[in-house]
Amino acid sequence: LYHYFPQKADLAVAVIDGNSAAVFDLLKDFAERDGRGRVLGYYDAMVAHQTEFARQNGEWPGCPFGKMVATGGEEPALRDAVERWLEDMTGYLQEALREIHADLRPARLRALARQLLMTWQGALLLSQATNDSQPLRHGRSITARLLEETPGA
C-alpha cells in the first residue's frame, strides 16, 4: 500500500478524494429535481446509506471526511482535500438554494449552504456517537425547515 501512497497523508487524501467522487456521482441521481428535491434527495440517500451500513455492521459509520480530519487534521494536504470537498458541496448547495431563494444575495446563499452542511455534519456525528438514527431524522427535519425559510432576504 505504501508503494502507491508513500505517506499516510497521501492515502488519506486519496480516500477523501474517492469519497468526494462517490458523493458527486450520487448527486447526479438528483440532477433533474428542483433545488429542494436535490438537497433532500441527497440527504435521504445518505441516511439510507448510513442506516444500511449500521444494519450490516452494528454501528453508525459517521462521516469519512470528519474522521480523516480527526485522525490527521494537522496535515496540510488532508485539510486541503477536506476544504475542496466543503467548497464543492457548498457550491452544489448554493445552486440548489438559488432556485429556492432567488432573491437572496450570493453571500447569504453561501451562509445558508454552510448551515446545511453543519446540520448534516452534526447529525452524522451525533448518530455515530449515539449509535442511533434519531439525529439523522432530526437533521433532515431541520434541513427541510431551513429550505423553507428565507433568512436575511
Side-chain angles (χ1 to χ4, degrees):
L1 196 57
Y2 282 113
H3 173 73
Y4 298 103
F5 304 101
Q7 297 181 7
K8 184 178 178 181
D10 297 326
L11 175 59
V13 168
V15 169
I16 288 172
D17 289 345
N19 275 299
S20 181
V23 165
F24 281 93
D25 281 346
L26 177 65
L27 293 176
K28 291 175 188 174
D29 292 344
F30 310 111
E32 300 301 316
R33 296 183 184 186
D34 65 5
R36 186 176 195 281
R38 287 198 310 274
V39 173
L40 292 177
Y42 168 69
Y43 203 108
D44 292 340
M46 294 308 294
V47 169
H49 166 75
Q50 293 277 317
T51 302
E52 181 60 20
F53 183 96
R55 187 187 67 72
Q56 290 179 6
N57 298 287
E59 63 183 16
W60 292 85
C63 177
F65 304 106
K67 286 179 181 179
M68 290 294 175
V69 170
T71 60
E74 299 304 315
E75 278 295 328
L78 184 59
R79 287 219 172 265
D80 290 347
V82 170
E83 186 58 35
R84 276 194 309 275
W85 176 79
L86 287 171
E87 284 301 317
D88 291 346
M89 279 304 296
T90 299
Y92 173 83
L93 292 169
Q94 278 181 265
E95 287 300 313
L97 289 166
R98 188 171 290 116
E99 287 183 26
I100 301 166
H101 301 296
D103 55 331
L104 290 181
R105 297 179 328 272
R108 189 63 195 119
L109 287 170
R110 179 177 173 75
L112 186 54
R114 284 292 175 128
Q115 288 175 356
L116 292 174
L117 279 173
M118 285 184 274
T119 300
W120 175 246
Q121 290 298 313
L124 283 170
L125 178 64
L126 289 173
S127 284
Q128 183 182 16
T130 61
N131 209 32
D132 186 20
S133 66
Q134 185 176 11
L136 290 172
R137 291 193 309 273
H138 287 302
R140 191 204 189 276
S141 296
I142 292 166
T143 297
R145 269 185 272 143
L146 284 171
L147 293 174
E148 296 306 319
E149 295 173 4
T150 310

